[in-house]
Amino acid sequence: MILFDLKCENNHVFEAWFKDSEAFKKQSERGIVTCPSCNSSAVTKALMAPNVSLANSEKKRASTSDLAKAQKLLSEAQKVVEDNFDYVGKDFAKEARKIHYGESDKKNIYGEATEKDSKRLKEEGIAFNQIPWKPKADA
């Protein structure tokens, strides 16, 4: 069993248990995963940090590397997005609308949006998430 942090289109965050990622995907596609606050079925997985228990002496040492761990998690999340989503660049808001309104096939996308575009997408009820993005290092 896996405990996922979930987030609905209204930004309510909650937890739910699933057999595995595939079980979440299937239940979500069937619309049976719903937000306990607003009953929305537009639910996605939220970014999660692993739950690791440390002894007291290790906690002090670990706190000095918290930033490095956070940066590593962000890099891993970014890689997952880059490997599994289509990059649409500055057309993110436009493409998200097309998908939301059925003008384009449903697919995972990522790109760039201004604060104004993000606010409008939220007002229209279009579900999306924002994550900090690290620029690629020059090769």
Side-chain angles (χ1 to χ4, degrees), residues 46-64:
L47 289 178
M48 297 175 19
N51 185 6
V52 179
S53 178
L54 301 173
N56 284 338
S57 61
E58 292 176 344
K59 285 181 185 178
K60 190 172 187 178
R61 207 177 11 205
S63 66
T64 60

Side-chain angles (χ1 to χ4, degrees), residues 86-93 95 110-113:
D86 292 333
Y87 179 69
V88 295
K90 294 187 184 290
D91 291 332
F92 178 82
E95 293 299 319
Y110 74 105
E112 302 162 40

Side-chain angles (χ1 to χ4, degrees), residues 2-139:
I2 300 174
L3 178 66
F4 286 123
D5 285 339
L6 304 176
K7 185 176 184 180
C8 78
E9 65 187 334
N10 297 309
N11 291 320
H12 299 127
V13 178
F14 58 99
E15 296 178 333
W17 288 95
F18 295 91
K19 178 181 176 186
D20 53 29
S21 288
E22 189 63 27
F24 165 77
K25 181 180 175 187
K26 287 179 182 177
Q27 291 178 34
S28 182
E29 287 172 352
R30 290 176 44 206
I32 59 176
V33 179
T34 59
C35 174
S37 297
C38 65
N39 208 33
S40 170
S41 62
V43 174
T44 58
K45 287 190 236 176
L47 289 178
M48 297 175 19
N51 185 6
V52 179
S53 178
L54 301 173
N56 284 338
S57 61
E58 292 176 344
K59 285 181 185 178
K60 190 172 187 178
R61 207 177 11 205
S63 66
T64 60
S65 64
D66 286 345
L67 180 58
K69 288 178 186 177
Q71 289 174 332
K72 183 177 183 222
L73 285 172
L74 273 175
S75 293
E76 290 170 0
Q78 184 170 328
K79 177 139 179 54
V80 168
V81 170
E82 289 173 335
D83 291 348
N84 296 288
F85 291 55
D86 292 333
Y87 179 69
V88 295
K90 294 187 184 290
D91 291 332
F92 178 82
K94 178 181 166 185
E95 293 299 319
R97 282 187 182 90
K98 284 182 182 178
I99 293 167
H100 179 78
Y101 293 113
E103 298 168 15
S104 290
D105 292 335
K106 286 188 176 187
K107 61 183 177 180
N108 294 324
I109 61 171
Y110 74 105
E112 302 162 40
T114 64
E115 285 185 42
K116 185 177 180 180
D117 284 337
S118 295
K119 182 178 178 186
R120 287 184 178 163
L121 289 172
K122 286 180 183 179
E123 289 170 352
E124 291 178 52
I126 299 173
F128 68 98
N129 286 307
Q130 295 174 286
I131 62 171
W133 205 257
K134 292 174 47 177
K136 289 189 178 203
D138 291 334

